[in-house]
Amino acid sequence: MRLKLTLSGFLLCFSVSGFAQSAADCAALTNFTLAGYQVEVTSARWFDDRSLPGGFNGPGMELPPHCHVEGMIDRRIGVNDVEYGIGFALNLPDNWNGRFLFQGGGGLNGTVGEPLGAQAAGGRAALLQGFAVVSNDTGHQAKGPFDSSFFEDQEATLNFYYKANPKVTEVAKLLVSDYYGQDIAYSYFVGCSTGGREGMLMTQRYPSYFDGVVSGAPAMRTSVSNIGIRWVGVQLNQAAPRDAQGLPVAGPMLDESERRLVIDSLKARCDGLDGAQDGLLFNPQACDFDPRQIACGIGGSTDNCLAPAKAEAIHMAMQGPTDSRGFQVYPGFAYDPGIDDPGFLGGILNSANNPPEGPGSTGVLEFDIDSAVLASTRPDLIMGESTSVMMSSFADQGGKQILYHGAADPWFSVNETIRYYEEMAQFNGGLETVKDWSRFFHVPGMGHCQGGEETLDSFDMLSAIVDWVENDTAPDRITATGRSMPDTSRPLCAWPAYPHYDGSGDINSAANYSCKEVE
């Protein structure tokens, strides 16, 4: 208790007094060296104010006074005479609150994103709140989206999988302390997709580095999740229209009226299981929808039923892949109204590539699961997986973890994250024990990390993890809103509880929902 009170006073002092570092203090960081490390601070610039333009990931942002640092760790020449190194950027705000945040990456990384800490921060980036924020490219510089050429270099591969982030953490923490002349009070990691995997790896392999970690839609084992995606495409292709050569035509298997029939039937069966007919399926555990329930007796689709072959194709696709022995290789994708989304990635039933794995699944009718599973176990493919359930050191040191995942994610099944969470809980003493330091939140309608035609994809996981770490207030519920559903809010409940409408009051207000245990 004494430590907590001391640190609380420490943070209060920060927020009241500020640090008022100068441009000269910022520029002096270019002289930073660290024994045993090959570190270059290539630039350190002070900004009284700086504006960032809006883009795909969100609106523009006005940044507070801060020192912007860029650097490189372990610069070298690698395979094929390519220059490699771990590029990083660090934003040090003038109103530092004593906290440090590591911003996770995305995709195959390869670029240094602006260190803001905006993911899952409820619309107010961590930098704006006074966090020192770092980001990095995990050791390679991409020539384009999803540039995988770095996998030819061993060190670059190891850095991407797991080595770069702890190195950047060590260097960035010392830069922060050097700049402010104070130790960091609390350290956090927030990321989604690849960043979600990275956060999980920090809890599993470097349990003392962060006090709190938020991991969204984690890319836990991509060599296996790709099998899951390919499986969906192949199964949907079984009932897709054929071209002159008898091959499936590229594009969605279902037409607009068929997709609407599937989604309307899903909602009719499962939408009200949380007490509210609102298009959001918050109680998936009780949902027993099966597309074969709406199959026609014979023939093609009508306004009221689906062609049997198409109903069977959807059923098989959503079951997930099994091998020749019946072993479940990857969990099936969840039945959620978002599987029909027309957005950037597209829902599983509405993707031009059946689903968004790429052209590899288009036109394919057969899939050798056993061979694919064997190929996925190559050591060079699994070294970066974040599937370890051994978390005792992280928990014993007081670490806190929040996991979240969108139910309509077409790249990584929400059921995979649920599977991991439940297996991890069982290994570590059961759910009631694990809930003291790890919680999972299910987000209906949300696609990959964000977005969805009808979803509440804006929530403040950052404040939740901070309050849990620093005040020991565990998050039973976190309020969610979304641009696609204005004037609507719901609580996200810690799994396996779900929000249930109380039966009175504004049905669009989170205040009128209670977190209910699954019966």
Side-chain angles (χ1 to χ4, degrees):
M1 180 63 70
R2 179 176 300 172
L3 176 61
K4 186 175 294 184
L5 290 173
T6 301
L7 288 174
S8 297
F10 182 59
L11 292 170
L12 179 62
C13 178
F14 281 165
S15 62
V16 172
S17 65
F19 280 85
Q21 305 299 97
S22 67
D25 295 321
C26 178
L29 291 178
T30 57
N31 299 318
F32 177 85
T33 59
L34 184 58
Y37 289 76
Q38 185 184 337
V39 182
E40 309 166 45
V41 174
T42 55
S43 69
R45 297 180 58 196
W46 173 262
F47 292 91
D48 287 317
D49 54 68
R50 184 157 65 105
S51 299
L52 299 180
F56 170 75
N57 289 319
M61 190 179 300
E62 298 294 324
L63 304 187
H66 66 284
C67 175
H68 179 80
V69 178
E70 296 181 2
M72 183 76 75
I73 302 171
D74 295 340
R75 190 191 299 271
R76 63 188 177 82
I77 301 298
V79 171
N80 298 325
D81 294 325
V82 174
E83 181 177 284
Y84 287 102
I86 306 170
F88 69 91
L90 175 66
N91 278 334
L92 301 162
D94 193 42
N95 63 330
W96 187 46
N97 60 16
R99 302 182 179 101
F100 169 74
L101 185 136
F102 195 115
Q103 174 179 293
L108 295 180
N109 291 333
T111 59
V112 180
E114 183 70 43
L116 302 171
Q119 182 69 41
R124 188 162 179 257
L127 180 65
L128 304 186
Q129 300 180 45
F131 288 74
V133 184
V134 71
S135 63
N136 81 113
D137 59 17
T138 63
H140 63 280
Q141 293 69 52
K143 300 177 179 64
F146 289 93
D147 175 11
S148 61
S149 60
F150 70 92
F151 282 124
E152 298 177 15
D153 185 278
Q154 181 182 11
E155 184 67 13
T157 299
L158 294 173
N159 278 330
F160 169 73
Y161 279 140
Y162 67 93
K163 286 183 65 177
N165 286 343
K167 290 180 182 178
V168 172
T169 301
E170 293 163 4
V171 170
K173 283 185 174 182
L174 290 171
L175 276 166
V176 171
S177 297
D178 187 61
Y179 181 67
Y180 292 113
Q182 298 278 2
D183 289 336
I184 295 167
Y186 295 102
S187 297
Y188 298 93
F189 190 113
V190 179
C192 193
S193 190
T194 292
R197 174 186 68 86
E198 292 170 343
M200 291 178 70
L201 281 174
M202 297 307 296
T203 67
Q204 295 164 9
R205 302 187 189 183
Y206 304 91
S208 65
Y209 278 47
F210 293 96
D211 301 295
V213 174
V214 178
S215 288
M220 281 188 278
R221 44 177 189 152
T222 54
S223 60
V224 179
S225 62
N226 285 339
I227 294 176
I229 294 174
R230 176 67 64 92
W231 169 271
V232 173
V234 170
Q235 297 306 318
L236 295 181
N237 280 342
Q238 304 304 313
R242 305 300 171 88
D243 62 18
Q245 286 72 44
L247 295 175
V249 175
M253 178 196 71
L254 304 177
D255 64 29
E256 178 60 33
S257 62
E258 291 171 325
R259 291 197 301 273
R260 186 46 46 200
L261 172 63
V262 172
I263 299 305
D264 288 347
S265 300
L266 170 61
K267 289 181 179 179
R269 193 165 187 93
C270 298
D271 189 9
L273 296 174
D274 54 13
Q277 294 280 352
D278 55 5
L280 299 171
L281 273 59
F282 272 106
N283 188 7
Q285 301 100 307
C287 180
D288 62 354
F289 175 75
D290 185 327
R292 296 174 300 183
Q293 297 161 347
I294 57 171
C296 303
I298 57 173
S301 301
T302 71
D303 290 342
N304 300 313
C305 65
L306 196 63
K310 292 189 175 184
E312 180 65 23
I314 296 172
H315 169 72
M316 289 299 297
M318 300 297 282
Q319 289 296 299
T322 55
D323 65 14
S324 60
R325 300 166 299 164
F327 176 76
Q328 188 81 41
V329 175
Y330 186 75
F333 286 82
Y335 281 109
D336 182 276
I339 62 177
D340 184 47
D341 278 357
F344 173 70
L345 295 180
I348 288 173
L349 298 186
N350 200 35
S351 169
N353 285 319
N354 288 339
E357 185 204 9
S361 62
T362 301
V364 177
L365 287 169
E366 297 182 358
F367 188 16
D368 187 342
I369 293 289
D370 291 355
S371 295
V373 171
L374 181 62
S376 73
T377 62
R378 279 173 27 200
D380 61 309
L381 295 178
I382 65 175
M383 68 176 71
E385 291 183 352
S386 59
T387 55
S388 174
V389 294
M390 187 175 294
M391 301 279 285
S392 59
S393 294
F394 180 74
D396 290 346
Q397 294 176 94
K400 301 293 187 288
Q401 177 190 54
I402 289 177
L403 300 165
Y404 68 92
H405 205 139
D409 189 336
W411 277 1
F412 307 114
S413 172
V414 64
N415 291 327
E416 166 79 335
T417 302
I418 293 171
R419 176 203 63 79
Y420 169 81
Y421 182 68
E422 292 181 342
E423 288 184 6
M424 184 271 288
Q426 183 178 14
F427 183 86
N428 289 279
L431 185 59
E432 288 306 309
T433 297
V434 166
K435 284 173 66 175
D436 288 342
W437 51 268
S438 178
R439 299 201 173 188
F440 167 71
F441 294 87
H442 160 265
V443 189
M446 189 174 79
H448 187 56
C449 293
Q450 62 180 3
E453 189 176 30
E454 194 172 26
T455 188
L456 301 173
D457 62 340
S458 179
F459 33 76
D460 191 355
M461 300 286 179
L462 177 57
S463 292
I465 197 74
V466 167
D467 204 26
W468 198 2
V469 166
E470 299 178 20
N471 301 312
D472 201 26
T473 304
D476 291 322
R477 52 189 283 164
I478 297 172
T479 301
T481 59
R483 286 178 292 178
S484 65
M485 299 182 70
D487 303 317
T488 300
S489 62
R490 293 286 186 279
L492 304 177
C493 297
W495 188 266
Y498 67 95
H500 192 279
Y501 179 52
D502 294 334
S504 62
D506 183 1
I507 199 169
N508 291 320
S509 173
N512 299 312
Y513 288 77
S514 300
C515 289
K516 185 176 181 180
E517 294 295 329
V518 177
E519 298 176 353

